Amino acid sequence: MASHLAALDNDRIRRFLAEKNSSEPILVVDSEIVRDNYAKIAHALPDTRVFYAVKANPAPEILSLLAELGSCFDCASVVEIDMALATGAGPERISFGNTIKKERDVAAAYARGVRLFAVDCREEVEKVARQAPGSRVFCRILADGAGAEWPLSRKFGCVPEMAVGVLEHAHRLGLTAYGVSFHVGSQQNNVGAWDSALASASQIFRDCAERGITLSMVNLGGGFPTRYLKDIPAVEAYGEAIFEGLRAHFGNRIPETIIEPGRGMVGNAGVIEAEVVLVSKKSEAADELRWVYLDIGKFGGLAETMDEAIRYPIRTARDGDAMSPCVLAGPTCDSADVMYEKAPYALPVSLEIGDKVLIEATGAYTTTYAAVAFNGFAPLASVVI
Amino acid sequence: MASHLAALDNDRIRRFLAEKNSSEPILVVDSEIVRDNYAKIAHALPDTRVFYAVKANPAPEILSLLAELGSCFDCASVVEIDMALATGAGPERISFGNTIKKERDVAAAYARGVRLFAVDCREEVEKVARQAPGSRVFCRILADGAGAEWPLSRKFGCVPEMAVGVLEHAHRLGLTAYGVSFHVGSQQNNVGAWDSALASASQIFRDCAERGITLSMVNLGGGFPTRYLKDIPAVEAYGEAIFEGLRAHFGNRIPETIIEPGRGMVGNAGVIEAEVVLVSKKSEAADELRWVYLDIGKFGGLAETMDEAIRYPIRTARDGDAMSPCVLAGPTCDSADVMYEKAPYALPVSLEIGDKVLIEATGAYTTTYAAVAFNGFAPLASVVI
């Protein structure tokens, strides 16, 4: 029988998996691809500082590699700050990018030397002013997220009109009103998505200037996609579109910029090897859809299949055979643990119980999303090579 | 300031939380309530064996208590089987209830003495026949789940017409075709929901009898609800309705029955204490909705708020004050981590950052659903008292 590994382009991951012969699902991340992604992003946006979104994949090897390459870190919690600091990177390379922070966590970050904080309301500004005096804050504004595949809610950010008041409040409380941030939505396929947010940002710069406050930074957020099933624009196209937006809205007074790639940095660097546990049908009817059950599902690391948002490429040893649509589900006793059903997924008709499959582009938002022990299944194993 | 704990009816949990003074979210489960639930369920269905659905909450103290009370265990994986065996319960008290099993896991269960397996297709029957010869199998059939609050998909079970062939296949392969199982949907509020499934089961009994196969067991599944915000029928009403259904469809040849309560056994025994991290608005508009952010959310244990399915009762120290609707969200940097937004949740207008809140009826499907480390946040802490 052909090996599923023959379907894999990546030699390093192929060799590792062949040798490992894992009996449980495992994510393998190729550090060379992460290195390459960093270089491409840095090259596409040469004047922009890169803050890697640690939450996308906090594996220590990835953080250390990125620290060595010069990356800064966007952290969501004190634990993530400690992980970033453990690489040897100094606290000046860390942004506490979560707009929802316990006041004691602001204090803990400040004690570690962190001086850059995200806010989106006056209440959060006050926490930072009390616990991290003199720090820089940037205010997150709402962006519409059109064109993004992973749903953006209104959870983070305020309307642009409110941001001026928030930054003014920070200024009055002795903080440095540093700039504006936004997020155009994760897995953003529209390179023009940054334009309207940049227009809002430049308006906030002008409104603050009228109040005597000079902002200096625009945080462009993340959103850079990973190639799943559909082609995506090249990183260069994003860089060009963003630069054009900056020129259009800030003229010759282009601010300092930072970006926070997560998925775009590690997504395509990872492959999950999993196993087919069952292939069956629900009735004897000739046109009945097959159900394919893997040993990984929504609660084992593929949480981003929620609402069938992210469709991962799946390779098998039988990819040359005839294909037919099937419902793809996970191994737990939870009826919500179904990945693709509304839009069934085409897999080889010859796929069998016990076959291994490769789920590609799974380097981001998989390991840490895994449930700690649902149904007794261990969280997703992970290796960086 | 009034304590949030004053809002809590349960003295034991109140005393524990007051003494513990936890700075992170914590689930406290009162074992006395679990004991009481077991007694009520056993009393309502006196001729039915209880198989506790371990996945609902596998805390060792809960499993040991239930083992001592005489409960059997419905297990989803080999890890759960080992947890059940660790209580001292023998393997004859275990059902491997997952219809999606790796063949090597069937073998591992058999090696531990387990002789009762769920199946819903011929392929799964064949795994059991090869690895667990002579065992009892029951075939799960699809039930419609109308009236259930937690969505039931078609993931488990086959149509009733197919079940006869599956059980006949088991019989031919030397297994004991033992019976039929179904699940009417978790958090099932309609006591009549079992009736149509029992009608299907009795038809399968008759069809198998015509083929010379005598089935003897009906597994009534779970579905018994926990009281969240709305009142639910008493356990006795479920017992009566099920008994009536059995009498109506099986006449005076009522089969052996088992039930698999999970939520109904532990849901109302648990309370999560959490903290308000931020209360803010997205704009200065007078009618703008408040957003309330807790230090627990969809990825920290409240996964069942997915699609706003389960609405937990939330108590605060300010419950006598005026209430107003708000969007309720978790602490992670993930825009999907919003619990109630389409149907906003009424909370006191006076609620403040730093307030503690009590999320009731959270004993089931919380701890094990928690993400292992998303955003660096630790999984939900849990204590059984």
Side-chain angles (χ1 to χ4, degrees):
Chain A
M1 189 189 109
S3 162
H4 62 296
L5 295 174
L8 194 60
D9 291 330
N10 186 306
D11 274 345
R12 281 161 49 83
I13 295 180
R14 184 193 302 138
R15 278 197 303 270
F16 177 86
L17 284 173
E19 189 167 320
K20 176 83 178 173
N21 196 18
S22 175
S23 64
E24 299 300 327
I26 184 168
L27 168 68
V28 186
V29 176
D30 183 346
S31 58
E32 290 304 315
I33 298 180
V34 178
R35 182 187 295 274
D36 188 50
N37 288 339
Y38 182 85
K40 280 183 180 146
I41 291 169
H43 183 260
L45 291 152
D47 299 319
T48 299
R49 279 204 299 167
V50 175
F51 282 67
Y52 171 62
V54 174
K55 61 183 176 288
N57 190 327
E61 302 88 340
I62 293 174
L63 301 184
S64 291
L65 169 64
L66 289 170
E68 179 197 304
L69 295 172
S71 185
C72 302
F73 298 95
D74 164 40
C75 297
S77 65
V78 175
V79 170
E80 286 193 356
I81 290 171
D82 284 338
M83 296 176 91
L85 291 172
T87 65
E92 72 288 353
R93 287 164 71 182
I94 289 173
S95 164
F96 198 163
N98 193 340
T99 53
I100 308 153
K101 300 174 290 296
K102 287 184 180 173
E103 188 159 333
R104 55 186 178 272
D105 288 345
V106 174
Y110 185 77
R112 286 158 171 78
V114 175
R115 297 292 181 270
L116 182 58
F117 296 87
V119 296
D120 68 357
C121 61
R122 287 163 188 254
E123 294 80 358
E124 199 72 14
V125 164
E126 287 164 15
K127 292 180 198 170
V128 177
R130 281 191 294 266
Q131 303 298 336
S135 291
R136 291 169 161 179
V137 296
F138 54 91
C139 183
R140 179 153 169 182
I141 58 172
L142 288 161
D144 75 1
E149 287 184 27
W150 182 239
L152 247 199
S153 68
R154 286 166 53 88
K155 183 174 175 186
F156 309 103
C158 59
V159 298
E161 301 70 41
M162 180 170 143
V164 180
V166 171
L167 289 163
E168 195 175 21
H169 195 55
H171 178 75
R172 286 208 191 114
L173 293 179
L175 297 167
T176 298
Y178 187 48
V180 173
S181 79
F182 52 80
H183 199 296
V184 296
S186 200
Q187 187 67 9
Q188 176 55 263
N189 293 318
N190 172 16
V191 299
W194 279 261
D195 190 74
S196 67
L198 285 170
S200 299
S202 74
Q203 185 62 49
I204 295 167
F205 270 59
R206 284 192 297 275
D207 290 347
C208 279
E210 281 178 15
R211 287 164 174 75
I213 299 165
T214 308
L215 302 182
S216 44
M217 186 276 285
V218 174
N219 177 340
L220 303 159
F224 310 98
T226 272
R227 191 182 183 289
Y228 295 109
L229 286 170
K230 286 179 281 185
D231 278 330
I232 55 167
V235 173
E236 293 72 28
Y238 287 89
E240 282 162 25
I242 288 169
F243 185 70
E244 277 168 32
L246 285 165
R247 285 292 293 267
H249 299 293
F250 288 89
N252 56 3
R253 300 176 69 175
I254 290 183
E256 236 181 274
T257 50
I258 71 180
I259 47 168
E260 300 171 336
R263 193 187 305 277
M265 188 74 84
V266 294
N268 69 336
V271 174
I272 290 172
E273 184 188 58
E275 183 178 329
V276 176
V277 182
L278 182 62
V279 180
S280 66
K281 293 189 175 184
K282 299 290 165 191
S283 86
E284 316 270 14
D287 59 347
E288 181 77 19
L289 222 50
R290 279 181 308 164
W291 280 65
V292 173
Y293 301 88
L294 303 179
D295 62 355
I296 186 169
K298 246 182 203 169
F299 301 105
L302 303 182
E304 290 206 316
T305 59
M306 198 193 291
D307 298 327
E308 310 199 7
I310 300 287
R311 279 176 90 78
Y312 296 105
I314 300 175
R315 297 189 174 225
T316 77
R318 306 178 194 272
D319 283 350
D321 296 358
M323 309 283 269
S324 78
C326 55
V327 180
L328 195 70
T332 64
C333 278
D334 191 305
S335 22
D337 187 15
V338 176
M339 292 171 286
Y340 306 120
E341 182 175 19
K342 284 175 212 155
Y345 199 102
L347 286 173
V349 174
S350 52
L351 196 69
E352 282 184 9
I353 293 170
D355 280 3
K356 294 279 188 181
V357 301
L358 297 164
I359 310 172
E360 296 188 324
T362 43
Y365 299 113
T366 49
T367 48
T368 52
Y369 261 127
V372 64
F374 193 52
N375 276 214
F377 294 111
L380 179 58
S382 153
V383 180
V384 179
I385 59 171
Chain B
M1 190 188 109
S3 164
H4 62 298
L5 295 174
L8 194 60
D9 291 331
N10 186 305
D11 273 344
R12 280 161 51 83
I13 295 181
R14 184 195 301 139
R15 278 197 302 269
F16 179 85
L17 284 172
E19 188 168 321
K20 176 81 177 174
N21 196 17
S22 176
S23 63
E24 300 299 329
I26 185 169
L27 168 68
V28 185
V29 176
D30 183 346
S31 58
E32 290 303 316
I33 298 179
V34 177
R35 181 187 295 273
D36 187 50
N37 287 339
Y38 183 85
K40 280 184 180 146
I41 291 168
H43 183 261
L45 290 152
D47 299 319
T48 299
R49 278 205 300 167
V50 176
F51 282 68
Y52 172 62
V54 174
K55 60 182 176 290
N57 190 329
E61 301 88 340
I62 293 173
L63 300 185
S64 292
L65 169 64
L66 289 171
E68 178 197 304
L69 295 174
S71 185
C72 302
F73 298 97
D74 165 39
C75 297
S77 65
V78 176
V79 171
E80 286 193 355
I81 290 171
D82 284 339
M83 295 174 93
L85 291 172
T87 65
E92 73 287 352
R93 287 164 71 181
I94 290 173
S95 164
F96 198 164
N98 194 340
T99 53
I100 309 152
K101 299 173 288 298
K102 287 184 181 173
E103 189 160 330
R104 56 184 176 276
D105 288 345
V106 174
Y110 186 77
R112 287 161 171 77
V114 175
R115 297 291 181 269
L116 181 60
F117 296 86
V119 296
D120 67 357
C121 62
R122 288 163 186 255
E123 294 80 358
E124 199 72 13
V125 164
E126 286 163 14
K127 292 181 196 168
V128 177
R130 281 191 295 268
Q131 303 299 335
S135 291
R136 291 170 161 179
V137 296
F138 54 91
C139 184
R140 179 153 169 181
I141 58 173
L142 287 162
D144 74 1
E149 286 186 26
W150 183 239
L152 248 200
S153 68
R154 285 165 54 87
K155 183 174 177 188
F156 309 103
C158 60
V159 299
E161 300 71 39
M162 179 170 144
V164 179
V166 171
L167 289 163
E168 195 175 22
H169 195 54
H171 179 74
R172 286 209 191 112
L173 293 178
L175 296 168
T176 299
Y178 187 46
V180 174
S181 80
F182 53 79
H183 199 298
V184 295
S186 199
Q187 186 67 10
Q188 175 55 263
N189 293 318
N190 173 14
V191 300
W194 278 262
D195 189 74
S196 66
L198 285 170
S200 298
S202 74
Q203 184 62 49
I204 295 167
F205 270 58
R206 285 193 296 276
D207 291 347
C208 279
E210 280 177 18
R211 288 162 173 78
I213 300 165
T214 309
L215 303 181
S216 43
M217 186 276 286
V218 174
N219 177 340
L220 303 160
F224 309 98
T226 271
R227 189 181 187 287
Y228 295 109
L229 286 170
K230 285 178 282 187
D231 279 328
I232 55 167
V235 173
E236 292 73 27
Y238 286 89
E240 283 163 23
I242 289 169
F243 185 71
E244 277 169 32
L246 285 164
R247 285 291 293 267
H249 299 294
F250 288 89
N252 56 2
R253 301 177 66 177
I254 290 185
E256 238 181 271
T257 51
I258 72 180
I259 47 168
E260 301 172 336
R263 194 187 303 278
M265 189 75 84
V266 294
N268 70 336
V271 174
I272 289 173
E273 184 187 59
E275 183 177 329
V276 176
V277 182
L278 182 62
V279 181
S280 67
K281 292 190 176 184
K282 298 293 167 189
S283 86
E284 316 270 14
D287 59 348
E288 181 76 17
L289 222 51
R290 278 181 307 163
W291 280 64
V292 172
Y293 301 89
L294 303 180
D295 61 356
I296 185 169
K298 248 183 201 167
F299 301 104
L302 303 181
E304 289 206 318
T305 58
M306 201 192 291
D307 299 326
E308 311 198 6
I310 299 287
R311 280 177 89 80
Y312 296 105
I314 300 175
R315 299 192 174 221
T316 77
R318 307 177 193 272
D319 284 350
D321 297 358
M323 308 284 267
S324 77
C326 55
V327 180
L328 195 71
T332 65
C333 278
D334 191 307
S335 27
D337 186 14
V338 176
M339 293 170 285
Y340 305 121
E341 182 176 17
K342 284 175 211 153
Y345 199 103
L347 286 172
V349 174
S350 51
L351 196 69
E352 282 185 10
I353 294 170
D355 280 1
K356 293 279 188 181
V357 302
L358 297 165
I359 310 172
E360 296 187 324
T362 43
Y365 300 114
T366 50
T367 48
T368 53
Y369 261 128
V372 64
F374 192 54
N375 277 216
F377 294 111
L380 179 59
S382 154
V383 180
V384 179
I385 59 172

